[in-house]
Amino acid sequence: VSYLAGNWWFPWLVALGSGVNMFTLVFGGVLAACYVTAILTRPKYWLATATINAFGTIIGVILVVYLVEVNGTDYITDRFPSVFKSDKWGWIEENVEKYGPFGVVLTSAAPIVLHPVILFAMLAKMNTAVLVGCIFVGRVLKYSIMAQCALTAPGMLRYFGGKKLVDIAKKES
């Protein structure tokens, strides 16, 4: 993958995958590995790569938000039931309800799926543009932190994708 990761278009491909993963939830590990490989292959562009990946995620978020607006909040809980079995549920709900937009940024920067964040923010009647903007900022933060971990402290990547992600970062660097 590293021979592909050096191309200018590779971060855009990973970003597209991040947007699609909002509906599949099965590519997280592969996308994280591709993202880290892109960072290590072109370290000078870590911030651009982080922003591009967040942009791809936001396209998926906008589509999910639209579908929830059209179909109601049951759309998200019916389509993604496994997401709502997480032990992080209470933490996400508390952050969104207690801290509003800042809570959305905080939880979006965490290595978690975004569906509960979207659900709680929509139930709290958060403005859609504010919700999407806060998730974007949170994801840029998350991907920036991941990039810096990959470049300076690969062992910290275990918090984003387990031992395999750490191994990839150590092998590529």
Side-chain angles (χ1 to χ4, degrees):
V1 173
S2 59
Y3 69 93
L4 295 174
N7 291 296
W8 68 268
W9 49 263
F10 190 77
W12 291 100
L13 182 65
V14 177
L16 175 65
S18 294
V20 169
N21 200 45
M22 285 296 298
F23 295 92
T24 62
L25 302 176
V26 296
F27 300 119
V30 171
L31 289 167
C34 289
Y35 174 74
V36 167
T37 303
I39 293 297
L40 294 172
T41 306
R42 298 179 67 192
K44 186 167 97 173
Y45 300 103
W46 68 267
L47 184 57
T49 303
T51 304
I52 290 167
N53 207 45
F55 177 76
T57 300
I58 284 302
I59 298 302
V61 166
I62 290 169
L63 292 172
V64 169
V65 168
Y66 171 76
L67 290 169
V68 172
E69 286 176 346
V70 169
N71 300 303
T73 54
D74 287 343
Y75 171 82
I76 203 166
T77 54
D78 291 346
R79 302 265 178 328
F80 309 102
S82 63
V83 168
F84 296 96
K85 294 179 181 151
S86 169
D87 58 347
K88 307 262 187 291
W89 176 277
W91 179 76
I92 296 167
E93 183 176 20
E94 179 183 353
N95 282 324
V96 172
E97 289 179 359
K98 199 179 217 180
Y99 304 111
F102 178 73
V104 172
V105 171
L106 176 66
T107 53
S108 298
I112 59 169
V113 295
L114 295 169
H115 300 76
V117 177
I118 294 168
L119 177 67
F120 291 128
M122 292 184 81
L123 287 172
K125 306 286 188 223
M126 184 176 287
N127 176 284
T128 301
V130 171
L131 170 62
V132 170
C134 289
I135 291 174
F136 180 73
V137 169
R139 282 309 193 199
V140 170
L141 286 171
K142 173 192 173 182
Y143 297 131
S144 294
I145 292 166
M146 283 181 73
Q148 289 306 304
C149 287
L151 294 170
T152 61
M156 296 299 289
L157 287 171
R158 70 181 174 275
Y159 298 110
F160 294 96
K163 185 176 177 342
K164 286 185 181 183
L165 203 54
V166 173
D167 292 344
I168 289 168
K170 286 182 178 178
K171 182 179 132 195
E172 295 288 331
S173 59

